[in-house]
Amino acid sequence: MIETYIIEQLAAVAKYGTLSRVAETLHISQPALTRSMQKLEDELGVKLFERSKNRITLNKLGELAARHAEVVMTAHYEMIRAVQEADRQSRTFSYGSIAPAPMWEVTPILSQLYMGMTVSSDLQENDDVLVRGLDDGTYKIIILTHPLDEEKYFSCEFLHEKLYMLLPKSHRLAGRPSLQLKDLAGENILIHSKIGFWYSLVKEKIPDAKFLEQHELSTLREIVKTADIPSFETNVSIVGDSLPKNKVMIPFDDSEVDVKFYCICKKENRQELTALYSALKMN
């Protein structure tokens, strides 16, 4: 049986060309590499190299052996990757969401239901990325603003979120009972950069606005309290926070910003997620 390290060294000889470069790359001595190649030739019973005074190179058989060595090493590392990934998945509950608010509700439930496992969440702006992740096993559940084909997926509605505008009381629109996104055209608006699908939606629907992005939510909250700049809130994000005294919160009439969220899994996995769906419905 040829040892794996020798196969790896042969593949490296074909890749890097010289024994000195292979030895340097693999952090071994050149004499040790030379001995390994000689041992390989002895085990195979064939000559793999053309040897001259100052250099050895692969011959035709050596090139053939090196191509097979590369295949073997690719399979070797793929086996390691697959086994380690399977182990990681067995200890991790991974899910993806199109917006942050549903994650605030789902993550604590998952942490309670799957104690001892790591709960990993992924915020995306694109539905297609999330659906692909569900299909290929990257995610066990995904959260979208619409259900998916009931033949293949199980979808459960569990959260409603509506967008509001937080305006200084002195703002020209502060007296309105409601707004449309287009009413904010040309405004400077504070916005958190990590808000999933909301980010592209408001940028598309509010023409010529200048969005002042903040990457840290805590920093954004502090700026909102003191700055006379419009910012976004929702019926979910405002919970637990006191409305700044110098601001008013006005709802939007646009249908696109009054959304329902659905927790979705592959139908074949519905049974194992019964506890999660029961907890979501109770909430």
Side-chain angles (χ1 to χ4, degrees):
M1 181 71 70
I2 301 172
E3 294 175 88
T4 304
Y5 78 90
I6 295 179
I7 297 174
E8 180 182 31
Q9 290 171 6
L10 176 61
V13 169
K15 181 177 181 179
Y16 296 109
T18 65
L19 295 188
S20 60
R21 191 173 175 198
V22 172
E24 181 182 355
T25 302
L26 298 182
H27 305 291
I28 59 175
S29 69
Q30 191 166 332
L33 177 60
T34 300
R35 289 193 296 271
S36 292
M37 296 301 97
Q38 183 62 62
K39 181 179 180 181
L40 178 60
E41 287 182 318
D42 293 343
E43 290 198 33
L44 292 174
V46 299
K47 294 297 181 183
L48 302 176
F49 297 90
E50 297 291 342
R51 291 172 169 84
S52 61
K53 184 177 179 180
N54 298 315
R55 183 178 180 185
I56 70 170
T57 57
L58 289 167
N59 60 24
K60 294 295 183 183
L61 286 177
E63 290 172 355
L64 174 63
R67 288 195 295 272
H68 283 282
E70 185 175 350
V71 172
V72 169
M73 293 312 301
T74 298
H76 171 78
Y77 288 118
E78 175 58 26
M79 180 199 73
I80 293 173
R81 188 207 65 77
V83 171
Q84 290 178 339
E85 176 61 17
D87 176 63
R88 186 195 68 80
Q89 289 191 13
S90 71
R91 294 180 287 106
T92 304
F93 192 108
S94 298
Y95 77 96
S97 178
I98 199 69
M103 300 166 73
W104 304 336
E105 181 165 342
V106 169
T107 297
I109 293 173
L110 290 175
S111 297
Q112 184 69 29
L113 290 175
Y114 298 93
M115 295 178 66
M117 294 180 69
T118 299
V119 175
S120 174
S121 59
D122 190 13
L123 180 62
Q124 294 283 351
E125 292 185 33
N126 186 283
D127 284 11
D128 293 340
V129 173
L130 292 168
V131 175
R132 281 199 302 272
L134 183 62
D135 286 340
D136 66 21
T138 300
Y139 306 126
K140 293 184 179 175
I141 61 169
I142 59 173
I143 298 167
L144 301 177
T145 59
H146 56 86
L148 292 179
D149 176 17
E150 63 181 23
E151 290 295 320
K152 184 177 179 181
Y153 307 98
F154 176 79
S155 304
C156 174
E157 179 188 331
F158 76 102
L159 184 68
H160 169 240
E161 187 172 28
K162 183 175 175 61
L163 192 67
Y164 290 76
M165 202 74 213
L166 201 58
L167 294 174
K169 289 182 178 179
S170 58
H171 193 277
R172 62 184 176 86
L173 300 173
R176 299 268 294 270
S178 64
L179 298 169
Q180 292 189 332
L181 291 168
K182 64 182 181 181
D183 295 332
L184 277 298
E187 291 278 350
N188 292 330
I189 301 174
L190 286 167
I191 189 171
H192 190 221
S193 59
K194 302 172 185 177
I195 52 175
F197 86 102
W198 289 115
Y199 187 85
S200 57
L201 190 152
V202 296
K203 282 198 165 188
E204 177 188 349
K205 297 292 183 179
I206 304 179
D208 303 319
K210 183 178 181 181
F211 291 92
L212 309 176
E213 297 182 14
Q214 293 295 320
H215 302 297
E216 294 296 330
L217 186 57
S218 58
T219 302
L220 175 65
R221 292 293 190 198
E222 288 304 312
I223 296 173
V224 166
K225 289 178 183 178
T226 57
D228 288 333
I229 305 173
S231 59
F232 296 107
E233 283 289 358
T234 77
N235 60 307
V236 179
S237 65
I238 198 66
V239 174
D241 292 329
S242 57
L243 188 67
K245 293 181 179 179
N246 62 332
K247 301 288 179 73
V248 292
M249 196 166 84
I250 304 174
F252 285 103
D253 288 335
D254 308 71
S255 60
E256 299 97 326
V257 297
D258 191 348
V259 299
K260 296 176 180 177
F261 291 104
Y262 295 80
C263 182
I264 303 167
C265 69
K266 289 197 281 190
K267 212 163 191 179
E268 62 200 58
N269 298 329
R270 166 70 179 92
Q271 192 62 36
E272 67 183 82
L273 296 168
T274 298
L276 169 61
Y277 281 109
S278 295
L280 289 176
K281 288 178 180 177
M282 285 189 293
N283 284 358

